[in-house]
Amino acid sequence: MMRAPWVGRSRPAVDGGEIVTGALTYVTDLRTPGMLHAHVLRSAEPHARIDGVDVSAARALPGVVAVLTAADVPVNALGPREVDGPVLAADRVRQVGEAVALVAAVDAATAREAAELIQLVTTPLPVVDGPDAAVAPDAPQLYAGGNVSGAIAFRSGDVAQAVADAHLRLQRSVHTPAQEHVAIDTPGGLATGTDQSVTVWCGSQNPGLHQRKIARALDLALEDVRMVANPVGGAFGSRNDDPMPVYLALLARVTGAPVHLQMTREDVMAAGAKRHPFWTDIDIGFDAAGRILGSAVRAKADTGPVITSGPNVMKTSAEMSTGPYRFPVADFDGTVYYTNNANAGAFRGYGVPQVALAIENAMTEAADRLGIDPAEIRLRNVLDGGEPHSLYRHRTTSSLNVRGTLETAAGHRLWTERATWAAGARGPWRRGTGIAVAMKGVGMGSGTGDTARARLRIDDAGIITIWAGPNHTGQSIQTTYGQVAADTLDLPIEQIDVHVGDTGVVPESGPTAASRSTYAGGNAVKRACEELLARCDRLGLPLSTDAASVGTKLIELAENEVEVEFRLPDTEDIGLVPAEKLAVYAPHRVYGSCTQVVRVEVNTLTGELRVPELLCVLDCGTPINPAATIGQAEGGILQGLGLAVMEEHRLAAGVPVTSSLENYLAPTIADTPRMHTMFITGQEESGPFGAKGMSEVVVVPTPPAVCAAVLDAVGVLPQQLPVTGERLLDLLEEASCE
């Protein structure tokens, strides 16, 4: 008899009790006898030539075990290209916070003191402090190939001709800032090593990539590097390719002792990856009924001093520059620049929030100018599942249901009762309600060979152990994998034991990124379970009723282990994308979508902005663990809200102005609105039990929905994030002078 299914039922995280009580041991909490403490000497200059590094005084300090510079790194590179950056700066530094030397000592205080004794002699160089400076005729070239990190362009038709006679044509520019991840713990961990091998316990969204980075830098065979990547207190993109595991491995191998190292919050604010700041222009035309005739988007992004994920982020921006809308012609041209500003890397949403602000603001303004309900104008343009994408003309799967999220949101009281709510404002306060919608691809995209893997073993007690990826970085993905396995095998969930994030036992499965964990990893787990069932069926073994005897028999037959892979399917119709360039543009087959309705209150005297309530309607197929999915949605909403109203990593001539959480604002419980999350009915046929990704798309609509609500409240539409009180007052003053 089939057991009650786990898929679709809320289940606490496997380690939830330890998390909420503070009992969980994160990788940064690990300690061991004889452990050394490490410190990183970082540049205080954004761009300078290194004339000398004198470490003699530091090495002579009692208690110091090792002081390492670029010359001590076997292969001083974080990747195969110069633009991937060095492990330790050798001839010059390109940003404030760049690592110059590593110190290991018997205690943390000695390590810090030794770092302060290092004599770093530099000559300041001209600073490239933004994309405009990067292309200036006299700009210093940060690399031999110049200051362009990457570019992507595509057009599906002649936009200029399509919008020339538009009833309404909008040409607008928006700016989105650098944003800090603010994960609950900062990068760090513990490593042990010898001349032959190293083991590193350090948070990572991509353990396989970090294993390869360590092996390259230390000139070791891949199998001699083990990366244990969790538990970690959040990531959001910041642990994709950061160098911390390499620092730990290098120090452990040189010293032959366990080494602990952790960045301070100030280190992270200077040297940690940020969301890419974007400057985005849109030229879009509408007919009298509010239907889009065409759209051209131009974007430039600041990726900082190393390439990290800059060009790939812009690739995602290109695909999502048309939003969740279907219209005749589209054009995109985006360029990523190297600068001496903060390193920019992967961040939840991966290039979509930046371009979404441009098109969603345009939709909001068009609705206002044409006298059309803001939800209705979006419904008139919505891209339905199976229809061709406006830029690439490839086709999505039928599970895409932007329309369903819009219709559900438009029928909710936050939208239908907005006029009544607005009328209740008092004094200098004004109230407004905004709506915005977004879609985001699931996985790395067509042509990329995106693959996840799972390994399964059954023992003689009937316990199923599964090693799978992507990794757990706060979303409790192993809980989801367990639910998928229990229902596939028709076994009690207590008999399922899932492990993630350890390259010593988990097969390579790619990053915890691109909203791919449930879809890709869940499918790999499901396939492994199905292979076990197929073996049992072939041998006539009753797995669901007598798992212990089945395990015993399979062990006897040497058939108790399974390893499978799941390759994310490419879109069946690639549209206008040349087949030989499929991976260059990487259009997605599967998308999640989300509509949000936001209420704001604006003080017209001070510019203060409050967000008391918010609705999020999700198209995620089958929510395997509904409570966890809601948790992911609420966390994403808060990150989107932070980007909308307060978060901005600022620099002056390459030097960080926001240096800690004392002067960088992020939402707290006091800023958290009452949130409502709703799921629409849907199923992605290629997903595990109909599921598809959702954790990134929830970040995207929040900022433009806030901007739309501001327009509804006080008649001005912000085009720059965050919408601070000062900026809002400036907009109100400008409007009063018109």
Side-chain angles (χ1 to χ4, degrees):
M1 184 175 68
M2 288 290 292
R3 296 171 176 83
W6 277 102
V7 169
R9 194 187 336 174
S10 294
R11 177 171 172 78
V14 172
D15 48 8
E18 294 175 280
I19 293 171
V20 298
T21 60
L24 185 65
T25 300
Y26 293 91
V27 289
T28 49
D29 296 326
L30 293 173
R31 302 290 187 273
T32 189
M35 178 184 79
L36 300 176
H37 297 259
H39 191 85
V40 182
L41 175 67
R42 299 183 181 276
S43 169
E45 298 173 280
H47 196 202
R49 185 178 71 239
I50 296 178
D51 298 318
V53 184
D54 184 352
V55 300
S56 56
R59 285 176 173 162
L61 185 69
V64 171
V65 178
V67 181
L68 309 180
T69 65
D72 301 304
V73 186
V75 180
N76 190 32
L78 290 170
R81 304 160 297 183
E82 181 192 14
V83 293
D84 291 314
V87 177
L88 297 173
D91 58 346
R92 62 171 160 167
V93 292
R94 293 183 175 90
Q95 78 164 106
V96 171
E98 183 168 0
V100 177
L102 303 175
V103 178
V106 294
D107 56 56
T110 301
R112 287 194 299 271
E113 183 180 354
E116 292 170 358
L117 292 173
I118 296 173
Q119 298 296 309
L120 177 62
V121 182
T122 62
T123 299
L125 297 172
V127 174
V128 180
D129 64 356
D132 291 342
V135 297
D138 59 347
Q141 301 300 290
L142 299 186
Y143 293 99
N147 291 338
V148 173
S149 174
I152 186 169
F154 199 92
R155 61 188 307 201
S156 60
D158 190 336
V159 173
Q161 182 180 11
V163 303
D165 298 320
H167 181 78
L168 174 65
R169 183 174 180 179
L170 300 175
Q171 294 174 302
R172 299 289 183 264
S173 298
V174 302
H175 173 55
T176 51
Q179 183 183 16
E180 175 62 48
H181 295 80
V182 199
I184 196 170
D185 69 341
T186 57
L190 180 75
T192 60
T194 66
D195 286 343
Q196 288 77 38
S197 65
V198 291
T199 299
V200 178
W201 292 265
C202 183
S204 172
Q205 292 173 248
N206 200 338
L209 175 62
H210 275 122
Q211 181 188 30
R212 294 189 293 276
K213 282 181 175 288
I214 293 167
R216 176 182 173 81
L218 274 62
D219 197 21
L220 290 172
L222 195 64
E223 60 269 21
D224 293 328
V225 176
R226 181 184 178 191
M227 179 77 190
V228 184
N230 61 58
V232 57
F236 317 120
S238 64
R239 310 295 170 82
N240 251 355
D241 54 6
D242 67 294
M244 178 58 69
V246 180
Y247 299 160
L248 283 162
L250 182 62
L251 285 165
R253 188 184 187 199
V254 168
T255 63
V259 178
H260 179 269
L261 172 62
Q262 185 171 10
M263 295 174 75
T264 66
R265 186 65 66 178
E266 290 74 15
D267 290 338
V268 175
M269 295 297 287
K274 312 288 182 280
R275 186 185 298 283
H276 284 79
F278 264 59
W279 293 259
T280 308
D281 300 329
I282 187 168
D283 183 357
I284 187 169
F286 299 84
D287 67 16
R291 293 184 177 85
I292 303 171
L293 301 174
S295 169
V297 174
R298 302 287 179 267
K300 54 186 179 182
D302 180 345
T303 199
V306 288
I307 193 168
T308 56
S309 56
N312 286 329
V313 165
M314 189 61 80
K315 180 195 299 185
T316 309
S317 302
E319 183 182 8
M320 294 292 90
S321 63
T322 55
Y325 304 114
R326 183 186 180 190
F327 48 93
V329 291
D331 191 340
F332 181 85
D333 193 334
T335 307
V336 184
Y337 296 95
Y338 293 116
T339 73
N340 296 121
N341 289 331
N343 172 36
F347 198 132
R348 194 177 196 168
Y350 209 72
V352 185
Q354 294 94 323
V355 293
L357 182 66
I359 193 162
E360 284 301 297
N361 267 15
M363 298 299 288
T364 294
E365 184 175 353
D368 184 62
R369 299 271 295 270
L370 296 172
I372 302 172
D373 179 277
E376 176 58 29
I377 196 172
R378 289 169 167 84
L379 284 167
R380 292 179 187 179
N381 290 284
V382 75
L383 175 69
D384 287 316
E387 291 184 339
H389 185 271
S390 298
L391 182 62
Y392 296 141
R393 290 290 187 266
H394 69 288
R395 293 185 184 272
T396 72
T397 61
S398 60
S399 77
L400 177 65
N401 196 359
V402 182
R403 185 178 301 277
T405 68
L406 268 165
E407 290 175 339
T408 301
H412 192 274
R413 65 169 181 82
L414 261 66
W415 189 249
T416 60
E417 299 175 8
R418 63 190 186 278
T420 302
W421 182 73
R426 296 291 182 268
W429 291 91
R430 300 291 182 267
R431 290 176 169 179
T433 303
I435 191 168
V437 62
M439 59 185 267
K440 170 78 171 60
V442 176
M444 311 307 287
S446 300
T448 62
D450 191 0
T451 303
R453 297 174 179 85
R455 187 162 65 91
L456 175 154
R457 177 191 297 160
I458 184 171
D459 66 15
D460 56 8
I463 301 299
I464 307 291
T465 302
I466 296 171
W467 298 269
N471 186 29
H472 159 49
T473 57
Q475 74 281 59
S476 189
I477 194 64
Q478 70 269 48
T479 308
T480 298
Y481 293 163
Q483 291 176 266
V484 169
D487 280 8
T488 305
L489 297 171
D490 190 24
L491 288 175
I493 201 165
E494 293 77 17
Q495 286 181 231
I496 311 296
D497 184 21
V498 180
H499 299 268
V500 296
D502 182 345
T503 63
V505 290
V506 176
E508 170 62 54
S509 292
T512 305
S515 302
R516 66 189 291 273
S517 298
T518 293
Y519 180 78
N523 263 322
V525 168
K526 191 169 187 291
R527 286 193 175 185
C529 293
E530 288 170 342
E531 171 60 25
L532 179 62
L533 288 175
R535 291 185 187 182
C536 291
D537 185 60
R538 174 168 49 84
L539 296 168
L541 301 176
L543 180 65
S544 63
T545 57
D546 193 358
S549 65
V550 169
T552 301
K553 183 63 176 177
L554 289 175
I555 292 170
E556 292 174 2
L557 298 172
E559 291 199 44
N560 66 312
E561 290 197 25
V562 173
E563 185 164 339
V564 302
E565 68 177 36
F566 171 73
R567 179 166 176 164
L568 278 67
D570 293 342
T571 179
E572 293 178 355
D573 178 357
I574 64 174
L576 300 177
V577 177
E580 69 276 11
K581 293 187 177 180
L582 188 59
V584 172
Y585 298 102
H588 286 77
R589 173 190 177 102
V590 177
Y591 295 85
S593 65
C594 174
T595 296
Q596 291 180 15
V597 176
V598 175
R599 284 181 168 177
V600 305
E601 297 176 318
V602 178
N603 188 314
T604 56
L605 298 180
T606 66
E608 182 183 354
L609 188 154
R610 301 188 302 219
V611 180
E613 198 165 8
L614 184 150
L615 168 70
C616 174
V617 184
L618 266 178
D619 155 37
C620 63
T622 301
I624 288 178
N625 187 341
T629 306
I630 291 171
Q632 282 287 292
E634 292 183 347
I637 289 165
L638 280 179
Q639 284 186 308
L641 185 61
L643 178 63
V645 302
M646 65 180 70
E647 293 192 52
E648 181 177 18
H649 184 268
R650 294 180 291 112
L651 302 100
V655 178
V657 174
T658 43
S659 57
S660 71
L661 293 182
E662 290 183 347
N663 53 20
Y664 180 90
L665 299 179
T668 68
I669 191 65
D671 306 296
T672 302
R674 182 183 179 190
M675 291 182 277
H676 312 271
T677 300
M678 301 174 65
F679 306 121
I680 61 167
T681 302
Q683 180 154 324
E684 169 53 48
E685 293 301 326
S686 66
F689 292 96
K692 58 183 179 180
M694 52 66 60
S695 64
E696 288 182 285
V697 73
V698 291
V699 176
V700 180
T702 316
V706 167
C707 292
V710 169
L711 176 66
D712 187 47
V714 293
V716 296
L717 181 62
Q719 306 286 2
Q720 179 178 358
L721 300 180
V723 187
T724 62
E726 294 85 354
R727 287 175 180 153
L728 196 44
L729 281 179
D730 286 344
L731 288 174
L732 291 171
E733 183 176 347
E734 290 172 13
S736 67
C737 294
E738 292 177 355

